[in-house]
Amino acid sequence: MSLPNILLGLIKEPKSGYDIKQTFEQVLHYFWNSDLAQIYPALKKLEQDGLATIQMAEPDKGPAKKLYKRTPKGTRQLRAWLQQGPQLNTERLHYLTQVFFLDEIPPAERIKFFTSLHQYFKQQLSELIEVEKNWRSQDSRYPDKLPDKDQATQFTLRLGLAKIKAIIDWCESCLQTLRNKHQQAN
Amino acid sequence: MSLPNILLGLIKEPKSGYDIKQTFEQVLHYFWNSDLAQIYPALKKLEQDGLATIQMAEPDKGPAKKLYKRTPKGTRQLRAWLQQGPQLNTERLHYLTQVFFLDEIPPAERIKFFTSLHQYFKQQLSELIEVEKNWRSQDSRYPDKLPDKDQATQFTLRLGLAKIKAIIDWCESCLQTLRNKHQQAN
DNA sequence: GGCCCCATGTAATGGGTTACATGATTGC
DNA sequence: GCAATCATGTAACCCATTACATGGGGCC
């Protein structure tokens, strides 16, 4: 039930399906992603339900675009979603289920597994740190005096940073535990 | 692709679909859940693919049970899944997408939203702390000298605790920011 | 008698991914 | 000429949720 509401959130200003996909990849991809094959039909349905209107645009370069914009009814629907409180679905952490069965492979492989996890999240962290650095240098209001929309975005960034840091610490502590045991065995 | 492998992991010792559902709810539910309607067909398929065998059990009380146990081929498949490295799918955090659009509702409602989040994760944390406390008091080997299987389980518990603590801190810092702004406006 | 727990399943629906199909423009 | 990017879509498939269906046993 989230995708239609996310789309409504994004089309406060007119946007095409392609534009929306860009936004997913550049901004939201740490906690959400959707493919074009899912976005196009979902936008069509919003229009059919009277939650969005279409406006054609013929840019100087490139093919024609369908720009979707939310209607007042769409805005009401978006607010209702937010006002009904946080949607707390059980997350599916594939890699954690793997950790749960990690005793099924030899100790050296377990270390490899955690090293790989560690690398991945280190990379994610450095990306987020970069995002924050740029934002800070480009907007003097960062972090305490941002306008509401930016503040909401910043909240998501703050959680991303905190969670990834926690995961990295966890990787390191697990690696330490695994290495201690591995050496004792030799 | 994870569910079949998770089931293989769980049926090292013979288990019924119903038993597995219990395990999900009691142990794995912080990072995975599956319904019986998904488990039964998935187990059937494992048997058809030669990854598990069925053995009937007629307990003294209650109806007959189908006990599934993994075959050597099943074990190989499980190990292959673990050895191919961590499966890092983009998580879908519904509540974070809501935070991203939180400026669409009035400040008082935003505070309500975060308060509700805060409560939920406080509850989750106290459950996990309880789990850890019981484990510590019932096994003198906790936390450093656990056998491999328990160590793997403990790794997942450690991440759960660390992540939930990070989320709670984040909730509190966002609430602080929101309250400051809210008061200035009055 | 009614409710909850044990135990197994199917059917319908919804959400998400991958593959396929089309066509214009930009840059090398 | 070829690859990449812009732009829109459909079809097939897989995964997950909800609803439906059945039946025995224990407890109040």
Side-chain angles (χ1 to χ4, degrees):
Chain A
M1 281 300 305
S2 289
L3 180 63
N5 291 305
I6 294 168
L7 295 178
L8 285 175
L10 293 173
I11 57 172
K12 186 173 186 172
E13 302 307 324
K15 277 200 182 69
S16 71
Y18 199 86
D19 295 337
I20 287 169
K21 177 64 181 159
Q22 307 290 96
T23 308
F24 276 132
E25 270 167 15
Q26 286 159 26
V27 187
L28 296 166
H29 72 106
Y30 294 100
F31 52 93
W32 197 272
N33 209 0
S34 283
D35 207 80
L36 283 169
Q38 214 189 344
I39 294 169
Y40 287 127
L43 284 171
K44 200 177 199 177
K45 183 146 193 307
L46 289 181
E47 198 261 326
Q48 281 164 7
D49 295 349
L51 303 169
T53 50
I54 304 178
Q55 186 191 333
M56 294 303 291
E58 306 276 347
D60 297 340
K61 55 177 190 171
K65 297 171 89 166
K66 280 192 183 176
L67 301 179
Y68 290 82
K69 183 173 192 265
R70 79 165 97 113
T71 61
K73 193 179 163 191
T75 303
R76 282 197 299 277
Q77 153 83 39
L78 173 64
R79 288 201 186 125
W81 176 58
L82 296 169
Q83 279 163 348
Q84 92 196 357
Q87 252 189 261
L88 299 156
N89 319 39
T90 23
E91 305 170 32
R92 272 163 223 274
L93 297 175
H94 297 249
Y95 72 86
L96 252 198
T97 65
Q98 289 176 300
V99 170
F100 190 77
F101 299 115
L102 215 58
D103 61 294
E104 299 276 352
I105 53 174
E109 303 262 356
R110 295 174 208 165
I111 289 171
K112 235 165 83 183
F113 187 95
F114 269 106
T115 306
S116 167
L117 262 186
H118 187 251
Q119 259 175 40
Y120 173 78
F121 285 110
K122 271 276 191 191
Q123 175 58 33
Q124 290 246 95
L125 181 63
S126 70
E127 280 172 38
L128 283 189
I129 286 174
E130 193 62 23
V131 170
E132 204 197 20
K133 215 184 77 188
N134 290 337
W135 198 352
R136 193 185 290 275
S137 73
Q138 275 161 38
D139 190 338
S140 62
R141 294 168 301 181
Y142 190 94
D144 289 327
K145 285 164 186 169
L146 292 168
D148 284 12
K149 174 69 206 122
D150 291 341
Q151 189 183 68
T153 305
Q154 195 228 7
F155 284 168
T156 65
L157 177 58
R158 258 149 75 168
L159 183 59
L161 283 163
K163 262 179 61 175
I164 292 177
K165 278 177 192 162
I167 295 172
I168 290 172
D169 288 350
W170 168 77
C171 281
E172 286 167 6
S173 102
C174 291
L175 276 170
Q176 183 111 44
T177 306
L178 287 169
R179 287 207 184 97
N180 280 344
K181 210 167 189 179
H182 199 200
Q183 273 169 11
Q184 279 170 24
N186 294 347
Chain B
M1 283 299 307
S2 290
L3 181 63
N5 291 306
I6 295 167
L7 295 178
L8 284 176
L10 293 173
I11 57 172
K12 186 173 189 175
E13 303 307 322
K15 277 200 183 66
S16 70
Y18 199 87
D19 294 338
I20 288 167
K21 177 62 183 162
Q22 308 289 96
T23 308
F24 276 130
E25 269 166 17
Q26 286 159 26
V27 187
L28 296 165
H29 72 105
Y30 293 100
F31 51 94
W32 199 273
N33 210 359
S34 283
D35 207 81
L36 283 169
Q38 214 188 343
I39 294 169
Y40 287 128
L43 285 171
K44 202 178 199 175
K45 182 145 194 307
L46 290 181
E47 199 259 326
Q48 281 163 7
D49 295 349
L51 303 170
T53 50
I54 303 179
Q55 185 192 332
M56 294 303 292
E58 305 276 347
D60 297 340
K61 55 174 190 173
K65 295 171 90 163
K66 278 191 184 176
L67 300 180
Y68 289 83
K69 183 172 190 264
R70 79 165 96 111
T71 62
K73 193 178 163 194
T75 303
R76 283 197 298 278
Q77 152 83 37
L78 173 64
R79 286 198 187 127
W81 176 58
L82 296 169
Q83 278 162 348
Q84 92 195 358
Q87 251 189 265
L88 299 156
N89 319 40
T90 24
E91 307 171 30
R92 270 162 224 275
L93 297 175
H94 297 250
Y95 72 87
L96 251 199
T97 64
Q98 290 176 301
V99 170
F100 190 78
F101 299 115
L102 215 58
D103 60 294
E104 299 276 352
I105 53 173
E109 303 262 356
R110 295 175 208 165
I111 290 172
K112 235 165 88 183
F113 187 95
F114 270 105
T115 306
S116 168
L117 264 186
H118 187 250
Q119 260 176 41
Y120 173 78
F121 285 110
K122 272 276 190 188
Q123 176 58 33
Q124 289 246 98
L125 180 62
S126 70
E127 280 172 39
L128 283 189
I129 286 175
E130 191 63 23
V131 170
E132 204 196 22
K133 215 184 76 187
N134 290 336
W135 197 352
R136 190 184 292 275
S137 73
Q138 276 161 36
D139 190 338
S140 63
R141 296 167 301 180
Y142 190 94
D144 289 328
K145 286 165 184 165
L146 292 169
D148 283 12
K149 175 68 206 125
D150 291 340
Q151 190 183 65
T153 305
Q154 196 229 6
F155 284 167
T156 65
L157 177 58
R158 257 149 77 168
L159 182 59
L161 282 163
K163 262 179 60 174
I164 292 177
K165 277 177 193 161
I167 295 171
I168 290 171
D169 286 350
W170 168 77
C171 281
E172 285 167 6
S173 101
C174 291
L175 276 170
Q176 184 111 43
T177 306
L178 287 170
R179 287 209 183 96
N180 281 345
K181 212 170 188 178
H182 198 201
Q183 273 168 11
Q184 278 169 23
N186 295 346

